[in-house]
Amino acid sequence: MHEEYKIWARDVLARIEKKMEKVSVRSADKIPYTTKDGVHDDWSGDDRIGWWTNGFWGGMMWQMYELTGQEHYKAVAESVERKLDRVLMDAQSMDHDSGFKWLPTSVNNYRLTGNPASRNRALLAANNLAGRFNHAGQFIRAWNDWGDNGPDRRGWAIIDCMMNLPLLYWASEETKDPRFAQTAMRHADTAARCFVREDGSVNHIVEFDVDSGEMVRSYGGQGYGDGSSWTRGQAWGLYGFAQSFRHTGKREYLDTAVRIADYFIAHIPESGLIPVDFCQPEEPAWEDSTAAAIAASGLLEIWQLLEEKRAHGAGSMESGRKYLEAAVGLLRTLADRRVNWDDAADNLLEKCTAAYHDRDHEFSIIYGDYYLIEALMKLAL
Ligand code: GLY
């Protein structure tokens, strides 16, 4: 059965490769976030270079390089990475999202080419990320304050940050210094305790008292409201805990990933199309394809982890089949109904939504494309 999925995923990737041949040339000098009338925008200017999604285009170029071996993709990826050096030198732009920026770019470059400059960038980013740790509350702080008028966010942590922890695990593996991984694990422990609810759903934002470390309250954040289930947050959670298990072997992280995954799978609508929030009202029925792509990649991570465990004789581990099937279902729905296969359009996924209460909904977003390709590669290779 997996063989059949593999053949299918290879076929979809071949179609994506064909399209990306053209898109990567058209957008070679950009760092895109979304599209307007099918054309990538560009976030590489000084005012937008710190945006949290600016590692994904470079990451997609490394994905294409791995799939095709074509040097053009490597050159575009390297140029994105160099542009991000401006962020490394700007304290105000350096936030909890260093993993999203430098894992797809510098860590990938170092993994594939051994480039020492990339290793240096990723270590600088990891050091900055570790420095955001609040010792009283044992969490990595989200965002920075951008002036006197915004909310006091010194005590805020978000579920998305689970996806940044692999930069810290990587730094420990690379330097043989456990400090980075220790910090990541303390944050993951806090997240397991304070973000994950009884039913396996997760909060987006949790606020802690910055001095005592006590949990103050949660916020709905980019979802529908406090106590609701923002789907991309559920996806970050299930994927992030799975990655923490991969790097540490701590069984509680895999159990947590599985609980969130079970909640996610139980709430997938019959259509297979993922809403912005599992608790949103019937109208307006906003959709978020990025949540589907991220969840699919995370579910495949869980499937791989469970299968690896079984292969190593951990008899009590349950089969990963349920997670494989759910991921394939999400990916088939995206490929059939939400990928724009027109070569003239720069994006892959349609109907992505950044936040439920934003003015705009259901457009293309670059990280949806990145995680779609990533998930397909896990299935195909
Ligand atoms: N990490 C921010 C988001 O998922 O929109």
Side-chain angles (χ1 to χ4, degrees), residues 239-258:
Y239 196 170
F241 278 105
Q243 294 191 99
S244 271
F245 175 74
R246 182 174 286 293
H247 288 280
T248 67
K250 186 168 170 176
R251 179 63 201 257
E252 189 197 318
Y253 297 152
L254 183 58
D255 292 344
T256 306
V258 163

Side-chain angles (χ1 to χ4, degrees), residues 64-81:
M64 288 300 119
Y65 178 69
E66 277 199 89
L67 286 168
T68 67
Q70 285 174 25
E71 289 294 314
H72 159 71
Y73 293 120
K74 181 168 174 274
V76 178
E78 286 170 340
S79 95
V80 170
E81 189 182 339

Side-chain angles (χ1 to χ4, degrees), residues 270-305:
E270 215 165 298
S271 66
L273 301 167
I274 302 302
V276 176
D277 195 308
F278 284 132
C279 303
Q280 72 189 30
E282 272 179 34
E283 289 298 331
W286 302 124
E287 196 182 316
D288 182 18
S289 302
T290 73
I294 296 159
S297 195
L299 291 168
L300 290 173
E301 193 80 16
I302 294 173
W303 161 64
Q304 286 173 346
L305 289 166

